[in-house]
Amino acid sequence: MPGNSQRRNRRTSSKKGSTSGSGGHHKHSLAGKGRTLPADERPWHKQYRPGENEQLPKRTKWKQEKERRKAAAEGRAPKAGGRRDASPASGRRGPRVSPGRRSSTPKDAPELLVGRNPVVEALRAHVPVTALYVAQGIELDARTTEAVRTAGDRGIAIMEVSRAELDRLTGGVLHQGIGIQVPPYEYESFEDMLAASGEAPAPLLVALDGVTDPRNLGAVIRSAAAFGAQGVFLPSRRAAGMTATAWRTSAGAAARLPVAQVTNLTRALKQCQQAGFVVAGLAADGDVPLYQLEASVDPIVVVAGSEGRGLSRLVGETCDLRVSIPIASEVESLNASVAMAVALAEIARIRTA
């Protein structure tokens, strides 16, 4: 019954009682906090620049030293800022990089080629190497011993690092405890390549239209050098560049044959036509069989398309000839590098016949 409840001090009304004030002790919380400091006046901000006699906070100095060491190991200039850590003022965090994912690196940064077989093959092919990284405690075998001995004979810096450091440098890629650092490739000027090719008795150039596999690029460069081409040019966007993988696949030919990047491949092909070249594109539905290519004895540019779609529409329309390679009906098409090797070999045969 009401009034017989055993629970004491039970509130029976929904209204709150009177509350006591703070006595003016909390009035400072209502005061304004002043102006918001700009970035260059906040010691914790990445754009902050201290004065001549001003000392940086300990954590900021640590972050800058860490970035400096990382940049020195990768052979680049230190970045002005990096991943934002917790801010002393707000406590908020900036974007994080997921573990095991490679962060964005500058386009002209050195590249690491890892793995025991790739490293040995690259050294055998005389790929330009600036450093050899070997993990501490690595199990030595014939390949590792050959890599270290070759690097020592050529005066290449040998860096012994921890496995954790090599994991960081490679972005989590399986490296087998060894890797080499390859400098950025120096591309030839397309205009210089075109002018130099005109001095040859029978000029021959190779163009690639959107080939995205660096192994195909390296194989094409190797074939172009083997069959007497004066150079290779390719688009600077949406196409493979001269990475460490392309270096290795070219078996050292990239050090002897000029390679150029162009902003617009169609415009570059038209420049070749104005210079007196015949532009022949390799296409499965081409109307000129390769073995009947009479233009082989003339100055010629051979163009290969991408691995999937072949020649793009604009490039195909720019070509003077569309050349097909006769193959068995059971085979749909040839790999871009294989098709280029077959075409260059036939052109070389016709020229020497």
Side-chain angles (χ1 to χ4, degrees), residues 208-227:
L208 297 178
D209 179 19
V211 172
T212 57
D213 191 339
R215 293 169 296 183
N216 278 337
L217 172 59
V220 167
I221 294 173
R222 186 175 184 178
S223 299
F227 295 112

Side-chain angles (χ1 to χ4, degrees), residues 247-258:
W247 261 114
R248 176 172 57 88
T249 312
S250 72
R256 303 186 299 271
L257 187 71

